[in-house]
Amino acid sequence: MSSTVSRSVFNREIREIYSKSLTLGDNWTLIVVDQNQDINYLEKSIQQLYLNEIITLIYHIIYSESFSVPVLYINIFKSNGSVFKYDEIYKFFSLKELDSDQEPILILTQQEHPILFKPFYYMHPCMTSHWMNQTKLGSDESFNFTLKWLSFVFSALRIPIDIKYA
């Protein structure tokens, strides 16, 4: 099984996820940025109560040209419209900030969204290929790489994902 994915396969796979989302009522939206260049991504926006405040979580699944893998972009907004800060993001997802000598498992940092050109937190894709190679699940080429990746990433961040996607 390859531990990377081409843009065309990524686009096919996010369309499959989107289609399944419609069936499940899971509220993923397929965003078509440029039909000619086949640039698409998935978006999901949910609201939930956190520390007695309604917050809005926005997830984007975007293709990384540099790493040839999907990338998760995240923003969390408070009810007053302000964005969660770095330490709030780590606390929300119950991530441990690592000492400088530790190897990070999940790296969430902030950078400009590659399509919207706004600040977003994202899970750096540098280790994605390695993780996907290590899982050895779904070594069949017909297996949806992006869905497999999404279930891994969401599990690591303790974000629920419907088992019916499988």
Side-chain angles (χ1 to χ4, degrees):
M1 180 184 103
S2 175
S3 55
T4 61
V5 65
S6 69
R7 174 176 287 286
S8 61
V9 170
F10 170 80
N11 284 324
R12 185 193 73 228
E13 290 179 347
I14 65 171
R15 285 184 193 101
E16 291 171 9
I17 294 168
Y18 170 68
S19 178
K20 187 70 169 185
S21 168
L22 291 175
T23 304
L24 297 173
D26 198 27
N27 301 321
W28 282 101
T29 303
L30 180 65
I31 308 294
V32 178
V33 178
D34 185 333
Q35 254 181 334
N36 294 333
Q37 295 183 20
D38 205 20
I39 299 174
N40 309 300
Y41 67 92
L42 285 176
E43 176 182 77
K44 185 175 187 176
S45 179
I46 59 172
Q47 291 187 323
Q48 72 181 56
L49 189 61
Y50 177 70
L51 301 177
N52 297 316
E53 181 176 13
I54 295 177
I55 61 170
T56 302
L57 295 98
I58 298 175
Y59 304 114
H60 288 177
I61 310 301
I62 297 175
Y63 184 73
S64 168
E65 295 288 346
S66 302
F67 291 90
S68 299
V69 295
V71 180
L72 175 65
Y73 282 78
I74 303 167
N75 254 343
I76 304 177
F77 296 92
K78 298 177 184 178
S79 56
N80 67 5
S82 64
V83 178
F84 268 36
K85 296 179 178 147
Y86 179 80
D87 60 326
E88 293 171 309
I89 290 277
Y90 268 70
K91 182 179 177 185
F92 178 80
F93 288 116
S94 302
L95 298 173
K96 179 182 160 192
E97 294 189 51
L98 302 173
D99 296 329
S100 60
D101 63 332
Q102 291 178 295
E103 182 69 27
I105 297 169
L106 298 175
I107 303 172
L108 287 176
T109 55
Q110 193 176 46
Q111 80 164 21
E112 187 176 86
H113 190 288
I115 297 168
L116 301 179
F117 306 110
K118 295 178 182 180
F120 265 71
Y121 291 93
Y122 79 112
M123 180 180 278
H124 198 282
C126 63
M127 294 296 291
T128 300
S129 180
H130 173 73
W131 295 332
M132 295 303 288
N133 194 40
Q134 295 300 310
T135 64
K136 303 294 185 204
L137 299 172
S139 56
D140 179 354
E141 288 298 320
S142 68
F143 196 82
N144 187 318
F145 179 97
T146 304
L147 180 57
K148 178 180 168 182
W149 165 85
L150 182 63
S151 65
F152 176 80
V153 169
F154 270 31
S155 293
L157 292 173
R158 297 170 190 84
I159 302 169
I161 185 166
D162 196 320
I163 196 160
K164 293 177 185 164
Y165 277 101

